[in-house]
C-alpha cells in the first residue's frame, strides 16, 4: 500500500526527530560522563581526607547523570503515574526495592520516577546484569559502586559470594540507603516460557505477566544488610552496621511497572523517542523488613507470593487501565510524577559547560607542555 503525502511527511519528521535526539544523546554522553569521571579524579585528595564528603558529592553528580537519562524520556512525553504506598515516607530509611523486569526501559523509568524521592537516587545501589558494565554508563556504575551480576547456574554460587563481599565493602562505607534489584533474573519475554515450565513441574501458579523470582540475591541482601536483632544475634554484616551506627535495612518496597497494552519501552525508544507519548504506571507496596522471613523456604514462599500479587495487579491493570484499590478501600489513588523542565535544562547546561571547561583545561595543559 502506497504512502500518502501526509504519512510520508510524518514518517520523515519522526526520523528527523529521532536523529536529532540521538545526536543530542551522544553529545550529552560525551560531555557528561567524562566530566563526572574527571571531577572525581580531581577530588581524590578529598576522598582520603573526608570520604563522607567525597561520596556525598559523587552522589549528587550521579543523581544529575540519572536525571539527564530521565530527561530524554520526559521530553519525549514518556511520563509516569504512581500508585499504592507513598515511598517518599521511607526515602530516608534503608530499603530493598524489588522490581519486575520487562525491558531495558524499566531502568530508565526508575531513574525518572525516583528523581523526586529526596536523597534516594544519589544514595542507591543497583544490581544489574554484567553486560551493562560494557555500556557507555558502565564506568559511572563501577565508580558509584553498583554490582554487576552474571546470570546462569555455573556462576550463581560464586556471584552470591561476590555480592556479599561487595555489600560489606561498599554499601555502608559509601552511605547507601536503597538497593534495587530485579529478582526475575532477566526480561519477561526471555524467561516466561522457562518459568512457566518450572511452575508446572512444581505445581506453582501459572504466570503470564511476570516470572517466578530467584531467591539468591534477595537472601544475600537481607542477611548482609538487616541489622542485628535485639537479642544480639546478628542478621549479617554486624561489624559494618555497628561501625556506621546504621539501623540496617528497614523496608522492602515491592515495585510493579506496567506499560499500556503490555508494550514495554526499551532503551532505543527512550533515546530516539519514535513512540507516541506514553504513560508508564508504577505501583508501590511497602513491607517492614521484620515481616519478611529469613529462613530460605519461607523466604522463597514470601517472594513467590509477591510476584503472584504482581500478576494479579498487572492482570487488573491490563483489563481496566488502572491498578486495583488497596484492601479495605473502594478507590485506588494515583499520583502523577512530575519533573521540572527548568531543573533538567539547568543540569544539561551544567554538563555542557563542564565539558567545555575540561576541554579548555586540557588545551591549556597541552600548550604548556608542548
Amino acid at each position: 500500500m502506497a504512502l500518502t503525502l501526509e504519512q510520508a511527511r510524518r514518517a520523515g519528521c519522526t526520523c528527523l526527530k529521532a536523529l536529532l535526539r540521538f545526536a543530542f544523546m551522544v553529545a550529552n554522553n560525551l560531555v557528561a560522563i567524562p566530566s563526572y569521571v574527571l571531577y572525581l579524579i580531581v577530588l581524590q585528595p578529598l576522598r582520603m581526607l573526608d570520604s563522607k564528603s567525597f561520596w556525598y558529592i559523587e552522589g549528587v553528580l550521579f543523581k544529575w547523570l540519572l536525571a539527564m537519562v530521565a530527561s530524554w524520556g520526559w521530553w519525549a512525553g514518556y511520563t509516569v503515574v504512581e500508585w499504592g504506598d507513598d515511598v517518599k515516607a521511607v526515602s530516608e530509611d534503608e530499603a530493598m526495592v524489588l522490581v519486575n523486569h520487562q525491558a531495558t526501559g524499566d531502568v530508565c523509568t526508575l531513574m525518572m520516577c525516583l528523581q523526586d524521592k529526596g536523597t534516594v537516587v544519589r544514595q542507591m545501589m543497583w544490581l544489574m546484569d554484567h553486560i551493562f558494565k560494557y555500556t557507555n554508563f558502565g564506568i559511572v556504575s563501577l565508580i558509584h559502586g553498583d554490582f554487576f551480576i552474571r546470570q546462569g547456574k555455573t556462576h550463581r554460587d560464586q556471584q552470591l559470594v561476590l555480592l556479599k563481599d561487595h555489600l560489606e565493602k561498599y554499601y555502608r562505607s559509601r552511605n547507601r540507603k536503597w538497593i534495587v534489584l530485579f529478582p526475575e533474573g532477566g526480561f519477561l519475554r526471555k524467561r516466561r516460557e522457562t518459568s512457566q515450565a518450572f511452575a508446572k513441574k512444581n505445581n506453582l501458579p501459572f504466570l503470564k505477566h511476570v516470572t517466578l523470582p530467584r531467591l539468591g540475591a534477595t537472601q544475600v541482601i537481607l542477611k548482609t544488610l538487616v541489622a542485628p536483632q535485639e537479642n544480639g544475634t546478628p542478621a549479617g554484616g554486624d561489624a559494618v552496621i555497628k561501625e556506621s551506627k546504621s539501623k540496617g535495612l528497614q523496608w522492602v518496597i515491592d515495585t510493579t511497572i506496567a506499560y499500556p497494552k503490555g508494550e514495554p519501552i526499551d532503551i532505543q525508544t527512550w533515546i530516539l523517542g519514535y513512540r507516541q507519548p506514553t504513560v508508564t504506571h508504577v505501583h508501590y507496596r511497602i513491607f517492614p523488613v521484620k515481616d519478611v522471613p529469613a529462613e530460605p523456604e519461607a523466604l522463597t514462599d514470601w517472594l513467590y507470593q509477591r510476584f503472584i500479587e504482581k500478576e494479579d495487579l498487572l492482570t487488573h491493570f491490563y483489563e481496566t487501565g488502572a491498578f486495583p484499590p488497596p484492601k479495605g478501600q473502594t478507590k485506588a489513588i494515583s499520583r502523577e510524577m512530575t519533573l521540572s523542565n527548568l531543573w533538567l535544562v539547568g543540569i544539561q547546561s551544567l554538563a555542557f559547560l563542564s565539558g567545555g571547561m575540561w576541554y579548555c583545561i586540557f588545551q591549556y595543559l597541552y600548550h604548556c607542555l608542548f
Side-chain angles (χ1 to χ4, degrees):
M1 184 178 178
L3 287 175
T4 65
L5 184 61
E6 179 62 21
Q7 289 172 328
R9 187 188 67 81
R10 289 180 181 176
C13 289
T14 300
C15 290
L16 178 60
K17 183 177 71 172
L19 287 172
L20 291 173
R21 285 176 57 86
F22 181 75
F24 176 79
M25 183 274 296
V26 171
N28 199 181
N29 276 267
L30 288 175
V31 295
I33 294 176
S35 294
Y36 166 88
V37 174
L38 290 168
Y39 277 127
L40 296 182
I41 291 174
V42 170
L43 289 172
Q44 285 305 302
L46 176 64
R47 182 178 181 180
M48 292 184 286
L49 295 171
D50 185 357
S51 63
K52 184 176 181 181
S53 295
F54 173 85
W55 289 113
Y56 175 88
I57 295 171
E58 185 278 334
V60 172
L61 295 175
F62 184 78
K63 178 176 181 177
W64 289 354
L65 284 177
L66 267 59
M68 292 177 202
V69 176
S71 72
W72 306 340
W74 181 258
W75 288 333
Y78 305 148
T79 57
V80 172
V81 167
E82 299 177 308
W83 303 74
D85 296 333
D86 184 2
V87 296
K88 288 182 180 179
V90 299
S91 62
E92 296 301 316
D93 299 332
E94 290 189 27
M96 175 173 63
V97 184
L98 307 176
V99 192
N100 62 313
H101 209 9
Q102 300 174 70
T104 48
D106 297 341
V107 175
C108 300
T109 296
L110 288 174
M111 287 180 178
M112 177 188 287
C113 65
L114 296 179
Q115 282 291 325
D116 67 342
K117 307 299 186 293
T119 63
V120 164
V121 175
R122 65 178 177 83
Q123 292 182 290
M124 71 194 319
M125 178 181 286
W126 297 75
L127 265 66
M128 58 189 76
D129 192 279
H130 79 287
I131 196 66
F132 287 100
K133 185 189 297 185
Y134 308 106
T135 66
N136 60 315
F137 212 78
I139 183 65
V140 174
S141 290
L142 280 169
I143 294 172
H144 184 69
D146 296 329
F147 184 77
F148 299 94
I149 192 165
R150 295 181 68 91
Q151 304 294 341
K153 293 181 180 179
T154 56
H155 304 289
R156 190 169 300 161
D157 292 340
Q158 179 193 30
Q159 291 297 297
L160 295 179
V161 172
L162 292 174
L163 173 59
K164 184 178 187 299
D165 293 342
H166 185 89
L167 293 173
E168 291 177 341
K169 186 175 181 180
Y170 297 116
Y171 190 80
R172 294 205 170 88
S173 68
R174 299 185 180 184
N175 195 29
R176 301 294 174 245
K177 287 188 176 180
W178 281 26
I179 184 165
V180 180
L181 69 154
F182 301 89
E184 291 166 293
F187 298 141
L188 174 64
R189 67 179 187 277
K190 293 183 177 180
R191 291 209 62 243
R192 177 160 41 199
E193 187 175 341
T194 302
S195 176
Q196 290 173 346
F198 177 83
K200 183 177 180 180
K201 182 179 179 180
N202 293 274
N203 196 30
L204 293 168
F206 183 86
L207 307 176
K208 296 190 300 181
H209 306 306
V210 294
T211 65
L212 290 170
R214 295 172 177 175
L215 176 67
T218 303
Q219 186 177 32
V220 169
I221 291 168
L222 290 171
K223 282 187 175 181
T224 309
L225 300 182
V226 173
Q229 303 300 312
E230 291 182 359
N231 61 11
T233 303
D238 53 307
V240 180
I241 292 171
K242 290 176 182 177
E243 181 181 349
S244 64
K245 299 180 181 179
S246 168
K247 294 180 181 179
L249 202 68
Q250 296 170 265
W251 310 99
V252 175
I253 303 174
D254 187 28
T255 304
T256 304
I257 298 177
Y259 298 95
K261 300 179 181 180
E263 299 174 353
I265 298 175
D266 54 29
I267 188 65
Q268 299 95 318
T269 305
W270 194 268
I271 292 170
L272 300 177
Y274 50 78
R275 183 188 291 191
Q276 291 298 311
T278 300
V279 179
T280 301
H281 297 256
V282 181
H283 183 279
Y284 306 105
R285 189 177 177 195
I286 302 174
F287 295 88
V289 77
K290 63 182 178 62
D291 294 341
V292 181
E295 194 275 326
E297 185 173 346
L299 179 58
T300 300
D301 291 341
W302 185 89
L303 198 56
Y304 280 0
Q305 188 58 42
R306 302 288 72 75
F307 277 76
I308 292 169
E309 289 175 0
K310 286 180 184 291
E311 176 77 11
D312 294 338
L313 286 171
L314 290 169
T315 298
H316 189 280
F317 177 84
Y318 294 139
E319 290 175 352
T320 66
F323 284 113
K327 290 182 179 180
Q329 298 184 21
T330 57
K331 185 178 180 181
I333 304 299
S334 63
R335 304 173 295 276
E336 185 176 349
M337 185 266 164
T338 60
L339 290 175
S340 167
N341 286 315
L342 182 61
W343 179 64
L344 293 176
V345 169
I347 291 173
Q348 293 285 7
S349 300
L350 180 61
F352 284 100
L353 288 171
S354 295
M357 179 193 72
W358 289 115
Y359 176 78
C360 292
I361 289 173
F362 281 111
Q363 283 285 91
Y364 175 77
L365 292 175
Y366 177 82
H367 288 300
C368 288
L369 293 173
F370 302 101

